Amino acid sequence: MKATVALAALVGAQGISGLSVPTNVRNFYNRVKPTTCTGAEKLKGGFYDQDGGSAQWSYCRKAFPDSGKHAIYLHGPSTKLANMDIDCDGDLSNPVDGRCGYSEDTQGQTRWKAEVQAASGGRISDLNANIHPYVVFGNERDDGGATFDPRSVGIKPLSVMAVVCGDKMFYGVWGDTNGHD
């Protein structure tokens, strides 16, 4: 069975603590950052990293050396890896700090709301960004823009994902997708 993990680069996060990045993940990160994503490694291209930006971002897959495992990540032009933003979709109760109050793009549910309810036996109505660390991964659009469904490469909803930010690594579940609002 082929193992696949998702890896994203987190830029500019402050006020949260993480674990040290394991050597094999740091080596992988250093190996993919200076390269481009082409050929069989490029799963799907044509994505934006921000509104009004250029569609030069791609979902990529690269193998960890000698392990049989792969990582999926977002690569942009030159040596850029995707940045990460605060996402406040889902259960909006119990605000802990002001981060979600400033969002102009909040939706009242995550993509995997039904799966969260089923996995929790109905005890959790949906993910709450103030309580549950989750990652937005994949693109679903209804306007003809580029789409990518991570399930097509074996990633299951609510799978654990690793996010690298500088010298720290954070974990969250795959809890939402990026849609067109």
Side-chain angles (χ1 to χ4, degrees):
M1 180 174 162
K2 177 177 71 171
T4 302
V5 296
L7 177 70
L10 179 62
V11 178
Q14 297 176 7
I16 53 178
S17 60
L19 304 171
S20 295
V21 178
T23 302
N24 66 328
V25 174
R26 172 61 57 207
N27 291 342
F28 179 85
Y29 180 93
N30 291 337
R31 197 172 109 218
V32 300
K33 189 168 177 18
T35 64
T36 58
C37 175
T38 59
E41 291 179 352
K42 186 175 191 175
L43 299 171
K44 186 80 181 263
F47 298 96
Y48 299 84
D49 73 330
Q50 62 185 0
D51 289 338
S54 61
Q56 297 180 7
W57 294 81
S58 300
Y59 283 89
C60 307
R61 173 177 43 205
K62 189 177 284 279
F64 278 90
D66 305 319
S67 73
K69 297 178 182 175
H70 294 80
I72 309 296
Y73 59 98
L74 284 159
H75 203 292
S78 185
T79 62
K80 293 181 180 179
L81 294 176
N83 67 1
M84 212 59 152
D85 302 311
I86 303 295
D87 187 273
C88 297
D89 294 350
D91 178 359
L92 303 174
S93 63
N94 301 318
V96 175
D97 58 32
R99 292 179 297 175
C100 290
Y102 300 108
S103 177
E104 297 175 6
D105 188 26
T106 301
Q107 299 173 22
Q109 72 178 44
T110 64
R111 172 63 174 90
W112 307 120
K113 179 178 181 175
E115 288 79 355
V116 168
Q117 292 172 349
S120 70
R123 292 183 309 274
I124 300 173
S125 64
D126 199 356
L127 296 174
N128 181 321
N130 294 300
I131 300 169
H132 312 109
Y134 70 89
V135 177
V136 177
F137 201 65
N139 291 72
E140 296 181 292
R141 298 180 67 118
D142 58 7
D143 66 347
T147 62
F148 177 71
D149 185 349
R151 294 176 296 176
S152 69
V153 293
I155 299 176
K156 296 178 181 175
L158 307 180
S159 293
V160 174
M161 301 181 79
V163 178
V164 174
C165 175
D167 291 328
K168 298 292 182 181
M169 188 161 75
F170 304 85
Y171 293 97
V173 297
W174 177 32
D176 205 1
T177 59
N178 189 19
H180 181 262
D181 307 323

